[in-house]
Amino acid sequence: MSGLFGTDGIRGVANQYPMTGQFAVQLGFAATRKLSQREKAKIVVGKDTRVSSDMLEAGLIAGITSAGGDVLKVGILPTPAIAYLTKSLSACAGIVISASHNPFQDNGIKFFGPDGLKLKDEIENEIENALSEDFNYPPAENIGRVIEIKDANTQYLNFVKEMAGDSLSLKGMKVVIDCANGATSFIAPTLFQEIKAGVISLNYQPDGKNINFDCGSLHPEKAAQMVKNQNASIGLCFDGDGDRVIAIDEEGKIVDGDFIMAICAKHLKENEMLNNNLVVTTVMSNIGFYLALKRLNIDTITTKVGDRYVVEQMLEKKAVLGGEQSGHIIFLNHFPTGDGMVTALQLLTVMQKTSLPLSKLTQIMKKYPQVLINIRVKDKKTELESIQEVQSAIKSGQESLKEEGRILVRYSGTEYLARVMVEGPTEDEINKIANNIANIIKEKIGV
């Protein structure tokens, strides 16, 4: 990976380099010159609800148009909508301004190619290198224009409904939706109302600063309580940019991405739609997920954390289902990026076709106790493998767990965090192991 681009685009704190208006202008200019070498660039630009998104949008638009590119401005929409519109509008690239599940102080800039896939590492490197190159500004007659796509949300909504199919009707079903005060706030309630669900909406009034705050996929507890209070059939909690979803069953129990993938994998296999009998997931998936798929005689491939790596393996192995425990799930036969609303509809389709409540469907797997500790670090230059004390603690912990658990220690791809994840048979044992490793990391390289 390059210096600026991480596993999910460029991230940072708003109004601090690189998330400044000035940098956005430079990035828009450099990207347009690189992406328009053969023909005039046409670039989709969308954003989430963060207060800083307007600033970065203005900078990107200025940079793109000053380089001679046209901007297709689509406003506030989920990240997967930008991927879809980039392809459907025949743009050479799409840009979404969002930091996904991060707090409002953070923001990010992520690129999609004309096929709706994230840009390859080498293209991101070319854009970054172009930031330091000298380019001549085009003459006045070649300055780009801004074209507002006023029905962008309708186009995307129609696409999502098409993915669900005409047969899906939620009539008589009560659904709790937590929009995380993010990009799904203006579209998810409409979607579920149009397929006849009784909708109870939470956290759909963004003010620029409340995105992901004590709500959404990272904090589904209040939605879970609402499901129980309202006797709802299901709860659906999206994150700030709408590319992931965490579900809640009718008993108020949280259903993460591992459960959703296992349920959908079984359904696809039974209907002869699980291409190559394969599901792609990341190292963060629970042991219980792998054991469940083994019992179903479904093969798995594991990648490092990041949906881009999941998609790469899915394309290479011709798999149609893959994703992350976080609820970022890809149905490649529909579209090559994670989409929280598409995922929700796929799960609801299984519920409808099996006539089973979600609590029954989740019995497909048992989740082993898991603990995840985040340690804020000064930087990510020190390789965790080079810290002998950390490696000794990992080895000792794994010997204690034997084959009934596992330990994963890694850096976050988007934040200055070291993450310690431990799974095993008992809460007490895994907490002891995880805290021991986390304390050593904090002592050695913590803030």
Side-chain angles (χ1 to χ4, degrees):
M1 300 299 296
S2 59
L4 281 172
F5 285 89
T7 58
D8 207 25
I10 302 172
R11 292 272 181 96
V13 178
N15 243 12
Q16 296 180 24
Y17 182 84
M19 288 296 109
T20 65
Q22 181 181 18
F23 175 79
V25 174
Q26 296 170 333
L27 181 64
F29 189 91
T32 303
R33 297 306 298 247
K34 280 297 174 183
L35 296 168
S36 62
Q37 293 176 349
R38 295 178 182 173
E39 57 184 19
K40 184 181 181 67
K42 187 168 66 170
I43 299 175
V44 175
V45 176
K47 60 185 176 182
D48 70 14
T49 59
R50 294 163 210 271
V51 66
S52 59
S53 291
D54 290 348
M55 171 188 74
L56 296 172
E57 177 190 52
L60 284 167
I61 289 174
I64 292 167
T65 52
S66 67
D70 287 339
V71 172
L72 306 182
K73 185 178 177 182
V74 299
I76 295 172
L77 277 175
T79 288
I82 311 307
Y84 165 71
L85 290 166
T86 299
K87 185 175 182 179
S88 68
L89 295 174
S90 300
C92 71
I95 302 176
V96 60
I97 303 159
S98 174
S100 187
H101 56 280
N102 287 21
F104 89 92
Q105 294 93 339
D106 295 343
N107 217 327
I109 299 171
K110 179 163 54 180
F111 288 81
F112 290 100
D115 52 4
L117 292 167
K118 292 179 181 178
L119 291 184
K120 294 184 180 298
D121 293 352
E122 52 266 31
I123 300 177
E124 291 180 341
N125 287 334
E126 288 178 9
I127 291 172
E128 183 168 343
N129 292 335
L131 288 167
S132 58
E133 295 176 3
D134 292 328
F135 286 117
N136 294 322
Y137 284 94
E141 62 268 23
N142 291 338
I143 292 173
R145 305 296 298 269
V146 178
I147 303 162
E148 290 197 40
I149 310 299
K150 295 182 179 180
D151 67 339
N153 59 343
T154 301
Q155 291 187 42
Y156 171 60
L157 190 61
N158 289 338
F159 160 73
V160 174
K161 287 192 294 183
E162 182 182 339
M163 294 304 98
D166 296 333
S167 62
L168 179 63
S169 173
L170 304 184
K171 189 174 182 179
M173 183 178 285
K174 194 181 292 184
V175 180
V176 173
I177 299 171
D178 186 340
C179 298
N181 292 309
T184 61
S185 296
F186 310 115
I187 194 165
T190 301
L191 169 67
F192 289 94
Q193 286 166 0
E194 289 190 3
I195 51 179
K196 311 302 182 183
V199 177
I200 302 166
S201 298
L202 302 175
N203 304 304
Y204 61 99
Q205 297 176 310
D207 62 9
K209 299 179 181 179
N210 59 1
I211 186 171
N212 297 316
F213 182 73
D214 198 24
C215 61
S217 63
L218 288 182
H219 302 282
E221 297 80 15
K222 291 180 181 177
Q225 189 61 51
M226 182 64 74
V227 169
K228 291 202 295 184
N229 292 346
Q230 295 292 327
N231 294 316
S233 302
I234 191 171
L236 299 166
C237 300
F238 303 103
D239 68 334
D241 72 332
D243 62 2
R244 65 176 71 178
V245 66
I246 294 295
I248 301 162
D249 73 15
E250 76 283 1
E251 298 175 355
K253 295 178 182 176
I254 294 167
V255 179
D256 66 23
D258 283 345
F259 283 98
I260 296 172
M261 283 190 290
I263 291 166
C264 291
K266 180 176 184 290
H267 178 74
L268 289 171
K269 179 168 183 172
E270 290 174 347
N271 289 274
E272 299 182 350
M273 295 187 293
L274 188 65
N275 197 46
N276 286 335
N277 192 47
L278 180 65
V279 178
V280 180
T281 187
T282 76
V283 292
M284 291 302 292
S285 280
N286 192 271
I287 290 177
F289 169 81
Y290 296 109
L291 293 175
L293 266 64
K294 186 176 181 180
R295 287 193 298 271
L296 293 167
N297 293 315
I298 295 174
D299 299 327
T300 59
I301 291 178
T302 304
T303 76
K304 57 184 177 181
V305 175
D307 65 288
R308 68 189 299 138
Y309 306 115
V310 173
V311 173
E312 284 175 5
Q313 282 297 306
M314 291 177 72
L315 290 168
E316 181 179 334
K317 305 297 183 183
K318 294 182 171 56
V320 295
L321 177 63
E324 301 181 275
Q325 185 188 64
S326 63
H328 194 146
I329 300 171
I330 300 101
F331 293 86
L332 201 56
N333 53 340
H334 294 315
F335 203 68
T337 188
D339 188 318
M341 294 199 297
V342 168
T343 298
L345 293 179
Q346 294 300 310
L347 179 61
L348 286 160
T349 296
V350 178
M351 291 172 62
Q352 183 189 64
K353 291 190 174 181
T354 60
S355 299
L356 292 173
L358 187 54
S359 63
K360 293 292 184 184
L361 291 173
T362 57
Q363 292 177 8
I364 193 172
M365 67 168 270
K366 174 189 174 183
K367 184 173 182 177
Y368 277 55
Q370 182 186 82
V371 62
L372 177 64
I373 300 177
N374 294 322
I375 308 99
R376 191 156 292 280
V377 295
K378 301 170 187 175
D379 55 52
K380 296 186 282 189
K381 295 177 182 177
T382 303
E383 292 185 5
L384 293 169
E385 292 80 3
S386 69
I387 305 175
Q388 184 176 352
E389 294 88 342
V390 171
Q391 296 307 308
S392 295
I394 293 172
K395 181 179 179 182
S396 174
Q398 192 63 64
E399 288 174 350
S400 175
L401 292 170
K402 299 180 181 177
E403 294 183 358
E404 294 186 337
R406 66 187 182 115
I407 301 170
L408 176 66
V409 181
R410 66 180 184 88
Y411 284 124
S412 164
T414 57
E415 301 175 83
Y416 284 109
L417 297 173
R419 303 193 194 277
V420 177
M421 189 275 285
V422 183
E423 290 175 350
T426 68
E427 296 278 359
D428 288 344
E429 185 173 10
I430 63 174
N431 276 309
K432 181 180 178 181
I433 293 170
N435 281 306
N436 181 44
I437 297 170
N439 288 335
I440 294 173
I441 293 174
K442 187 173 182 181
E443 178 185 340
K444 294 294 181 180
I445 57 174
V447 174

